Amino acid sequence: MDSALQDPHNGSAEAGSPANGTTRPPSTPEGIALAYGSLLLMALLPIFFGALRSVRCTRGKNSSDMPETITSRDAARFPIIASCTLLGLYLFFKIFSQEYINLLLSMYFFVLGILALSHTISPFMNKVFPANFPSRQYQLLFTQGSGENKEGGRGSPAPGSGLTRPLCPEIINYEFDTKDLVCLGLSSIVGVWYLLRKHWIANNLFGLAFSLNGVELLHLNNVSTGCILLGGLFIYDVFWVFGTNVMVTVARSFEAPIKLVFPQDLLEKGLEADNFAMLGLGDIVIPGIFIALLLRFDISLKKNTHTYFYTSFAAYIFGLGLTIFIMHIFKHAQPALLYLVPACIGFPVLVALAKGEVTEMFSYESSAEILPHTPRLTHFPTVSGSPASLAASMQQKLAGPRRRRPQNPSAIYEESNPKDPAVVTESKEGTEASASKGLEKKEK
């Protein structure tokens, strides 16, 4: 019997026995093929649609939907943070009761799952609602501070007074409307279903929502950052799967919608099947945000082609298919990123080498699309001359005469309206002389 188990953060596939150790009849080849094919299809859906929505996300104006940009520093620290979190969960499961830990995690992911699923189905539901559906705008705002220090609160200066008040940092600023509330209600039904039954369909709905939101809202700022992130998690995945049993233990003990599951005995038992093949969300989101970055790079080239997106998408299918095949053949834990990372990075780079666009690929900055009006320094000014000549010219400019601007408004008025009688008389005589010359020209 084969089951693909994934860790809570990144994910690694394993073929092994069920967590409770009970003996089950071997799955049929048809059931195994259906389970693995369904997992592959479910992994492709959030990557494809999440990448498309990431492009619209960069063009959106709603602050609540702004993406979170991952920098090279974040990418370098992520494997370390993930390792500490994984080891911490392992120790928690060893020290405390697994039942209480999973209860807390279930409540936590219950809230997150409702919000994620509501955000996922909101664009689809907007097309379903009639045009005359009443829609009211709402805003959920949490700021830090109280009393006079609260933004917009008591003690704020009157408009036009010229006074300023301290700005309070916003903790939560979420804008929604009546349609979003309807989506939230529908998502709550799925949440209650998952909380009470832990059904695999409800688990997959939350898992797909988490994956799609991750691909949409987590943006890599450039290809180099993506290589750093994927390379670091490549080492992380291989170490924790082949080097220790920590990842497998946590994956078996962790009851939360952080993996996609599909029963291998669905044909025999129907919806009540319990022999699952599993795929961790990390094996979807991590390569997915890199594929979404390549889609935005395709659009920035303005060639009306999505070469790099389709190449990386096909590379992901190849890498995940290879993972499932090796796991099925060897019946042993397989770190999925061991096959996904070389495929998702190698295939697009080879295409860039063939097209001569490697420089454009690695110089592309996705953050410039998120903030299109931010000034960017694209080149440095050229300075000619020796340091001695530049210093001498600067000293000449500093030592030269400086015109002093009058600071007193009355002085400016006096300069423009002189009160010296001699100056006034000279100006009058000049005016009379010019007038007499004009009369003489007219007589001639």
Side-chain angles (χ1 to χ4, degrees):
M1 179 197 60
D2 304 310
S3 62
L5 294 177
Q6 307 286 336
D7 85 294
H9 309 288
N10 181 36
S12 302
E14 186 220 3
S17 59
N20 54 11
T22 59
T23 304
R24 293 172 178 167
S27 302
T28 61
E30 295 81 5
I32 295 175
L34 178 62
Y36 288 156
S38 300
L39 287 179
L40 181 61
L41 178 62
M42 286 191 292
L44 296 178
L45 290 177
I47 292 178
F48 185 84
F49 291 104
L52 295 179
R53 290 176 59 162
S54 72
V55 177
R56 302 170 189 169
C57 182
T58 58
R59 300 172 180 174
K61 297 181 179 179
N62 192 352
S63 60
S64 61
D65 294 335
M66 289 300 293
E68 185 73 22
T69 303
I70 301 176
T71 63
S72 58
R73 184 179 181 182
D74 300 329
R77 293 186 300 181
F78 189 81
I80 301 174
I81 297 174
S83 298
C84 295
T85 305
L86 180 64
L87 186 59
L89 287 173
Y90 176 79
L91 295 177
F92 266 101
F93 281 117
K94 288 294 183 181
I95 298 174
F96 301 100
S97 174
Q98 179 178 333
E99 179 182 359
Y100 295 111
I101 296 176
N102 283 322
L103 179 61
L104 294 176
L105 293 175
S106 297
M107 295 301 298
Y108 176 71
F109 282 98
F110 166 76
V111 177
L112 289 184
I114 291 176
L115 296 177
L117 186 59
S118 176
H119 182 266
T120 301
I121 66 176
S122 179
F124 303 102
M125 296 301 295
N126 288 336
K127 300 178 181 179
V128 177
F129 288 114
N132 58 353
F133 186 83
S135 179
R136 295 183 179 181
Q137 297 293 328
Y138 303 93
Q139 183 179 14
L140 182 64
L141 179 62
F142 286 97
T143 59
Q144 184 178 354
S146 60
E148 296 181 355
N149 295 326
K150 185 177 180 180
E151 185 175 357
R154 186 176 56 187
S156 299
S161 62
L163 300 177
T164 59
R165 53 179 168 79
L167 295 178
C168 299
E170 296 179 354
I171 301 175
I172 297 177
N173 187 3
Y174 187 75
E175 299 176 1
F176 56 96
D177 54 15
T178 308
K179 298 178 181 178
D180 294 326
L181 292 178
V182 175
C183 296
L184 194 64
L186 296 176
S187 302
S188 300
I189 297 175
V190 179
V192 173
W193 181 25
Y194 170 78
L195 194 64
L196 297 179
R197 296 290 305 275
K198 294 291 192 302
H199 199 273
W200 60 274
I201 296 180
N203 175 91
N204 288 347
L205 290 176
F206 277 171
L208 290 172
F210 286 140
S211 301
L212 192 145
N213 280 275
V215 176
E216 176 188 0
L217 299 177
L218 292 177
H219 286 197
L220 297 167
N221 61 349
N222 53 50
V223 176
S224 299
T225 301
C227 294
I228 294 173
L229 179 64
L230 292 178
L233 290 176
F234 173 88
I235 300 173
Y236 158 86
D237 213 13
V238 172
F239 172 77
W240 288 110
V241 172
F242 288 150
T244 67
N245 66 337
V246 173
M247 184 176 291
V248 176
T249 303
V250 173
R252 290 176 175 177
S253 305
F254 203 86
E255 294 181 3
I258 44 81
K259 52 186 176 290
L260 299 179
V261 300
F262 198 89
Q264 299 180 7
D265 53 349
L266 179 67
L267 300 178
E268 291 81 15
K269 297 183 179 180
L271 296 179
E272 299 301 325
D274 56 357
N275 182 14
F276 296 105
M278 308 180 188
L279 178 66
L281 301 188
D283 293 329
I284 302 174
V285 176
I286 299 302
I289 60 178
F290 186 75
I291 296 173
L293 172 67
L294 294 179
L295 175 60
R296 298 194 296 273
F297 170 63
D298 276 325
I299 295 175
S300 69
L301 295 177
K302 299 180 180 179
K303 295 183 178 180
N304 295 325
T305 59
H306 297 159
T307 305
Y308 295 100
F309 171 68
Y310 291 129
T311 301
S312 58
F313 197 73
Y316 181 83
I317 297 175
F318 170 78
L320 188 58
L322 184 61
T323 305
I324 294 174
F325 174 77
I326 294 178
M327 179 192 63
H328 179 70
I329 294 299
F330 291 96
K331 304 292 191 293
H332 191 273
Q334 296 297 322
L337 292 184
L338 175 63
Y339 311 97
L340 290 174
V341 170
C344 292
I345 295 179
F347 284 26
V349 171
L350 291 177
V351 173
L353 286 172
K355 299 180 67 174
E357 295 177 344
V358 177
T359 305
E360 290 83 352
M361 173 185 285
F362 282 89
S363 62
Y364 168 71
E365 288 283 343
S366 179
S367 58
E369 297 179 358
I370 301 174
L371 300 174
H373 302 294
T374 303
R376 297 175 58 84
L377 182 61
T378 57
H379 65 279
F380 292 94
T382 57
V383 180
S384 60
S386 62
S389 62
L390 293 175
S393 62
M394 291 297 295
Q395 290 179 358
Q396 290 177 1
K397 291 181 180 180
L398 294 175
R402 301 174 62 184
R403 298 181 61 183
R404 184 176 181 182
R405 298 180 61 184
Q407 302 296 329
N408 192 356
S410 61
I412 300 175
Y413 178 78
E414 290 176 359
E415 288 184 359
S416 59
N417 301 280
K419 297 181 180 179
D420 190 353
V423 177
V424 175
T425 304
E426 290 177 359
S427 61
K428 287 182 179 180
E429 291 177 353
T431 304
E432 293 175 357
S434 60
S436 60
K437 289 181 180 180
L439 292 174
E440 291 177 357
K441 290 181 179 180
K442 288 182 179 180
E443 291 177 355
K444 291 180 180 181

